Amino acid sequence: MENLVKTYFEIFSNKDIKGLENLFSDDVILQDWDILVEGKKQVLDANKNIFDSVESISVTLNNLYLDKLVAICLIEIISNNKKILKVNYIIKFNDENKIIEVSAYKQ
């Protein structure tokens, strides 16, 4: 599961919607400090909106804690090469190693 988490953040940093589509389950849920969306299309659209709002985005995974099908990640997001945002991420997987939920909380 550690490799899946690292792959997720790499794909996110590359603004790769197709890559995210392959990682998400059909009933994936995304919740952060601004939105709550359910379903693969809606979550992909929310990610596309994020990607379209910045010239560049980069995620650094600082800490990773794994427990069964749950990953708790402490990350830093740099957008447009300047803004640093510290975020706590919780990523839940199903038995098929697809992401079923992403919850993000600002530190």
Side-chain angles (χ1 to χ4, degrees):
M1 193 166 49
E2 180 176 345
N3 286 338
L4 285 172
V5 171
K6 289 178 178 178
T7 298
Y8 168 77
F9 288 121
E10 182 179 313
I11 288 170
F12 188 90
S13 293
N14 290 329
K15 298 168 49 166
D16 179 1
I17 291 294
K18 283 291 185 192
L20 290 177
E21 184 176 10
N22 292 330
L23 292 178
F24 291 152
S25 70
D26 289 338
D27 56 351
V28 65
I29 297 169
L30 170 65
Q31 180 175 0
D32 68 14
W33 51 92
D34 288 327
I35 60 170
L36 169 62
V37 291
E38 298 181 31
K40 188 186 278 191
K41 182 188 180 324
Q42 291 80 2
V43 171
L44 290 170
D45 287 346
N47 278 277
K48 185 174 182 328
N49 288 339
I50 293 168
F51 298 158
D52 290 346
S53 72
V54 295
E55 287 181 34
S56 65
I57 193 163
S58 174
V59 175
T60 301
L61 178 59
N62 292 328
N63 296 94
L64 174 61
Y65 306 94
L66 302 172
D67 182 35
K68 298 178 185 162
L69 297 174
V70 177
I72 301 168
C73 314
L74 306 178
I75 67 167
E76 289 181 349
I77 300 174
I78 299 170
S79 61
N80 300 330
N81 297 316
K82 60 182 176 185
K83 183 179 175 184
I84 296 179
L85 182 63
K86 292 185 177 188
V87 180
N88 299 328
Y89 247 76
I90 300 172
I91 304 173
K92 296 180 182 177
F93 294 87
N94 63 18
D95 291 331
E96 290 83 40
N97 292 321
K98 296 288 187 179
I99 295 173
I100 58 172
E101 186 174 333
V102 176
S103 300
Y105 307 92
K106 284 193 241 185
Q107 290 184 7

